[in-house]
Amino acid sequence: EVRLLDSGGGLVQPGGSLRLSCTASGFTFSSFAMSWVRQAPGKGLEWVSGITDTGNGAYYADSVKGRFAISRDNSKNALFLQMNNLRADDTAVYYCAKEEGKIGRPLFTNWGQGTLVTVSS
Amino acid sequence: EIVLTQSPGTLSLSPGERATLSCRASQTVGDTSLAWYQLKPGLAPRLLIFGASSRAAGIPDRFSGSGSGTDFTLTIDRLEADDFAVYYCQQYDGSATFGGGTKVEIK
Protein backbone atom coordinates (compact mmCIF):
# COMPACT_ATOMS: atom_id res chain seq x y z
CA GLU A 1 0.00 0.00 0.00
CA VAL A 2 1.35 3.41 -0.98
CA ARG A 3 1.74 5.71 2.01
CA LEU A 4 2.92 9.31 2.13
CA LEU A 5 3.41 10.98 5.49
CA ASP A 6 3.73 14.77 5.48
CA SER A 7 5.31 16.62 8.38
CA GLY A 8 7.08 19.82 9.36
CA GLY A 9 4.25 22.33 9.27
CA GLY A 10 3.68 24.93 11.95
CA LEU A 11 3.38 28.60 12.80
CA VAL A 12 6.04 30.90 11.39
CA GLN A 13 6.41 34.65 11.19
CA PRO A 14 6.39 36.50 7.86
CA GLY A 15 9.86 36.38 6.37
CA GLY A 16 10.66 33.18 8.22
CA SER A 17 11.58 29.71 6.98
CA LEU A 18 10.21 26.22 7.34
CA ARG A 19 11.18 22.82 5.96
CA LEU A 20 8.51 20.28 5.11
CA SER A 21 9.19 16.57 4.83
CA CYS A 22 7.33 13.68 3.26
CA THR A 23 8.23 10.07 3.99
CA ALA A 24 7.15 7.51 1.42
CA SER A 25 6.56 3.76 1.64
CA GLY A 26 4.87 1.02 -0.31
CA PHE A 27 6.42 1.80 -3.69
CA THR A 28 9.82 2.28 -5.34
CA PHE A 29 10.27 5.93 -4.40
CA SER A 30 13.27 6.48 -6.66
CA SER A 31 11.22 5.59 -9.75
CA PHE A 32 8.65 8.35 -9.44
CA ALA A 33 8.55 12.12 -9.74
CA MET A 34 7.00 13.86 -6.76
CA SER A 35 5.23 17.15 -6.13
CA TRP A 36 3.97 19.46 -3.45
CA VAL A 37 0.42 20.80 -3.78
CA ARG A 38 -1.20 23.25 -1.37
CA GLN A 39 -4.65 24.41 -0.36
CA ALA A 40 -5.06 27.80 1.28
CA PRO A 41 -7.96 28.21 3.73
CA GLY A 42 -11.23 28.38 1.84
CA LYS A 43 -9.43 28.12 -1.49
CA GLY A 44 -8.79 25.49 -4.12
CA LEU A 45 -5.74 23.37 -4.84
CA GLU A 46 -2.54 24.87 -6.22
CA TRP A 47 0.47 22.95 -7.54
CA VAL A 48 3.58 24.35 -5.87
CA SER A 49 6.63 22.40 -6.98
CA GLY A 50 7.73 19.14 -8.57
CA ILE A 51 10.92 17.13 -8.81
CA THR A 52 12.00 14.36 -11.18
CA ASP A 53 12.64 10.80 -10.02
CA THR A 54 16.41 11.30 -9.88
CA GLY A 55 16.19 14.76 -8.37
CA ASN A 56 17.99 16.29 -11.32
CA GLY A 57 15.05 18.44 -12.37
CA ALA A 58 12.95 20.76 -10.20
CA TYR A 59 9.99 22.91 -11.17
CA TYR A 60 8.12 25.68 -9.38
CA ALA A 61 4.96 27.71 -9.59
CA ASP A 62 5.63 31.38 -10.25
CA SER A 63 4.17 32.22 -6.85
CA VAL A 64 7.02 30.44 -5.02
CA LYS A 65 9.91 30.62 -7.49
CA GLY A 66 13.05 31.94 -5.84
CA ARG A 67 11.70 31.35 -2.33
CA PHE A 68 11.01 27.60 -2.18
CA ALA A 69 13.36 24.71 -2.95
CA ILE A 70 12.29 21.12 -3.48
CA SER A 71 14.67 18.21 -2.95
CA ARG A 72 14.64 14.50 -2.28
CA ASP A 73 16.77 11.79 -0.69
CA ASN A 74 16.06 8.54 -2.51
CA SER A 75 18.16 6.57 -0.01
CA LYS A 76 15.68 7.57 2.70
CA ASN A 77 12.49 7.64 0.61
CA ALA A 78 12.05 11.26 1.57
CA LEU A 79 10.86 14.42 -0.15
CA PHE A 80 11.48 17.92 1.17
CA LEU A 81 10.29 21.46 0.62
CA GLN A 82 12.46 24.26 1.97
CA MET A 83 10.33 27.38 2.26
CA ASN A 84 12.08 30.72 2.78
CA ASN A 85 10.88 34.31 2.99
CA LEU A 86 7.40 33.08 3.83
CA ARG A 87 4.41 35.36 3.31
CA ALA A 88 0.90 35.37 4.71
CA ASP A 89 -0.45 34.07 1.42
CA ASP A 90 1.70 30.94 1.79
CA THR A 91 -0.60 29.87 4.61
CA ALA A 92 -2.07 26.55 3.50
CA VAL A 93 -2.21 22.83 3.98
CA TYR A 94 0.69 21.37 2.03
CA TYR A 95 0.38 17.91 0.51
CA CYS A 96 3.07 15.78 -1.01
CA ALA A 97 1.90 13.77 -3.98
CA LYS A 98 3.26 10.91 -6.06
CA GLU A 99 3.25 11.61 -9.78
CA GLU A 100 2.66 9.40 -12.73
CA GLY A 101 2.65 10.23 -16.40
CA LYS A 102 4.95 12.27 -18.56
CA ILE A 103 7.51 14.67 -17.17
CA GLY A 104 5.94 18.09 -16.79
CA ARG A 105 2.45 16.62 -17.09
CA PRO A 106 1.78 15.38 -13.59
CA LEU A 107 -1.08 13.13 -12.62
CA PHE A 108 -1.19 12.86 -8.83
CA THR A 109 -2.00 9.25 -8.02
CA ASN A 110 -1.36 9.26 -4.27
CA TRP A 111 -1.31 12.02 -1.68
CA GLY A 112 -0.20 12.56 1.88
CA GLN A 113 -2.64 13.71 4.53
CA GLY A 114 -1.20 17.20 4.51
CA THR A 115 0.65 19.44 6.94
CA LEU A 116 -0.56 22.92 7.90
CA VAL A 117 1.68 25.93 7.47
CA THR A 118 0.52 29.17 9.07
CA VAL A 119 2.39 32.38 8.35
CA SER A 120 1.42 35.05 10.84
CA SER A 121 2.92 37.51 13.26
CA GLU B 1 -2.02 28.24 -18.57
CA ILE B 2 -5.23 26.27 -18.85
CA VAL B 3 -7.90 27.66 -16.51
CA LEU B 4 -10.50 25.19 -15.25
CA THR B 5 -13.94 26.38 -14.15
CA GLN B 6 -16.09 24.02 -12.11
CA SER B 7 -19.84 24.26 -11.67
CA PRO B 8 -21.89 24.37 -9.64
CA GLY B 9 -19.97 25.62 -6.62
CA THR B 10 -22.22 23.63 -4.31
CA LEU B 11 -24.55 20.74 -5.03
CA SER B 12 -27.16 19.87 -2.40
CA LEU B 13 -28.44 16.33 -2.83
CA SER B 14 -29.88 13.46 -0.85
CA PRO B 15 -28.33 10.00 -0.48
CA GLY B 16 -29.34 7.82 -3.39
CA GLU B 17 -29.50 10.69 -5.88
CA ARG B 18 -27.18 11.32 -8.79
CA ALA B 19 -24.56 14.08 -8.75
CA THR B 20 -23.41 15.69 -11.99
CA LEU B 21 -20.34 17.92 -11.73
CA SER B 22 -18.99 20.03 -14.58
CA CYS B 23 -15.45 21.13 -15.40
CA ARG B 24 -14.85 23.51 -18.30
CA ALA B 25 -11.38 24.34 -19.63
CA SER B 26 -10.28 27.66 -21.12
CA GLN B 27 -8.64 25.75 -23.98
CA THR B 28 -8.56 22.22 -25.27
CA VAL B 29 -7.11 19.70 -22.86
CA GLY B 30 -4.96 17.44 -25.00
CA ASP B 31 -4.96 13.66 -24.74
CA THR B 32 -7.98 13.90 -22.39
CA SER B 33 -5.44 14.69 -19.65
CA LEU B 34 -8.13 15.45 -17.11
CA ALA B 35 -8.43 14.00 -13.61
CA TRP B 36 -10.92 14.22 -10.74
CA TYR B 37 -10.09 14.12 -7.03
CA GLN B 38 -12.12 13.84 -3.85
CA LEU B 39 -11.12 15.89 -0.79
CA LYS B 40 -12.30 15.47 2.76
CA PRO B 41 -11.01 17.46 5.76
CA GLY B 42 -8.06 15.84 7.47
CA LEU B 43 -7.72 13.08 4.91
CA ALA B 44 -5.42 12.54 1.98
CA PRO B 45 -7.00 13.60 -1.31
CA ARG B 46 -8.05 10.66 -3.45
CA LEU B 47 -7.68 10.25 -7.19
CA LEU B 48 -10.99 9.13 -8.67
CA ILE B 49 -10.72 9.50 -12.44
CA PHE B 50 -7.83 10.00 -14.86
CA GLY B 51 -7.72 10.29 -18.63
CA ALA B 52 -11.17 11.91 -18.33
CA SER B 53 -12.96 8.56 -18.00
CA SER B 54 -10.73 5.89 -16.44
CA ARG B 55 -11.41 4.99 -12.82
CA ALA B 56 -8.45 4.79 -10.48
CA ALA B 57 -7.80 1.57 -8.60
CA GLY B 58 -10.40 0.79 -5.96
CA ILE B 59 -12.88 3.45 -7.08
CA PRO B 60 -16.44 2.08 -7.25
CA ASP B 61 -18.22 2.10 -10.58
CA ARG B 62 -20.75 4.58 -9.18
CA PHE B 63 -18.14 7.16 -10.18
CA SER B 64 -17.80 7.87 -13.87
CA GLY B 65 -16.10 10.52 -15.93
CA SER B 66 -16.76 11.72 -19.44
CA GLY B 67 -15.91 14.48 -21.85
CA SER B 68 -13.16 15.73 -24.09
CA GLY B 69 -11.78 18.96 -25.47
CA THR B 70 -12.97 21.65 -23.09
CA ASP B 71 -15.98 20.09 -21.37
CA PHE B 72 -15.77 17.32 -18.79
CA THR B 73 -18.22 15.75 -16.36
CA LEU B 74 -17.97 13.68 -13.21
CA THR B 75 -21.10 11.69 -12.41
CA ILE B 76 -21.72 9.99 -9.09
CA ASP B 77 -24.64 7.57 -9.14
CA ARG B 78 -26.59 6.59 -6.03
CA LEU B 79 -24.85 8.96 -3.63
CA GLU B 80 -23.70 7.37 -0.41
CA ALA B 81 -22.90 9.10 2.88
CA ASP B 82 -19.17 8.72 2.22
CA ASP B 83 -19.47 10.63 -1.09
CA PHE B 84 -20.33 13.99 0.45
CA ALA B 85 -17.10 15.89 -0.05
CA VAL B 86 -15.41 18.46 -2.27
CA TYR B 87 -14.40 17.42 -5.78
CA TYR B 88 -11.71 19.00 -7.93
CA CYS B 89 -10.82 18.55 -11.56
CA GLN B 90 -7.21 18.90 -12.69
CA GLN B 91 -5.62 19.05 -16.12
CA TYR B 92 -2.19 17.59 -16.74
CA ASP B 93 -1.72 18.60 -20.36
CA GLY B 94 1.23 20.69 -19.26
CA SER B 95 1.85 22.30 -15.88
CA ALA B 96 -0.91 21.15 -13.55
CA THR B 97 -3.87 23.39 -12.81
CA PHE B 98 -6.99 22.70 -10.77
CA GLY B 99 -10.56 23.86 -10.88
CA GLY B 100 -12.11 25.78 -8.01
CA GLY B 101 -13.96 22.74 -6.67
CA THR B 102 -17.56 21.60 -6.24
CA LYS B 103 -18.87 20.81 -2.79
CA VAL B 104 -21.41 17.99 -2.70
CA GLU B 105 -23.41 18.42 0.49
CA ILE B 106 -26.28 16.60 2.09
CA LYS B 107 -29.63 18.20 1.37
Side-chain angles (χ1 to χ4, degrees), chain A residues 36-48 63 89-95 108 111, chain B residues 4-6 9 37-39 45 86-90 96-103:
Chain A
W36 290 96
V37 178
R38 68 185 180 184
Q39 183 176 31
K43 303 291 187 180
L45 295 167
E46 178 190 20
W47 173 80
V48 172
S63 58
D89 62 0
D90 294 317
T91 294
V93 174
Y94 285 74
Y95 300 97
F108 306 113
W111 300 60
Chain B
L4 300 178
T5 302
Q6 290 188 241
Y37 301 89
Q38 179 191 66
L39 267 74
V86 182
Y87 294 84
Y88 289 90
C89 58
Q90 177 233 335
T97 55
F98 295 87
T102 292
K103 181 180 182 180

Side-chain angles (χ1 to χ4, degrees), chain B:
Chain B
E1 174 181 289
I2 298 177
V3 176
L4 300 178
T5 302
Q6 290 188 241
S7 61
T10 302
L11 205 47
S12 298
L13 296 168
S14 301
E17 291 191 299
R18 169 183 288 183
T20 303
L21 288 65
S22 173
C23 177
R24 178 161 291 177
S26 61
Q27 58 189 274
T28 295
V29 177
D31 297 327
T32 57
S33 299
L34 194 287
W36 291 91
Y37 301 89
Q38 179 191 66
L39 267 74
K40 293 182 178 180
L43 298 182
R46 182 167 69 149
L47 172 66
L48 302 173
I49 300 288
F50 64 95
S53 60
S54 298
R55 272 187 299 276
I59 302 303
D61 59 7
R62 299 183 296 102
F63 291 86
S64 61
S66 63
S68 63
T70 60
D71 289 295
F72 300 88
T73 300
L74 174 69
T75 301
I76 312 170
D77 288 322
R78 306 178 304 280
L79 278 167
E80 297 183 0
D82 192 49
D83 300 335
F84 291 94
V86 182
Y87 294 84
Y88 289 90
C89 58
Q90 177 233 335
Q91 66 79 20
Y92 49 103
D93 181 22
S95 187
T97 55
F98 295 87
T102 292
K103 181 180 182 180
V104 179
E105 65 176 23
I106 299 177
K107 187 175 181 180

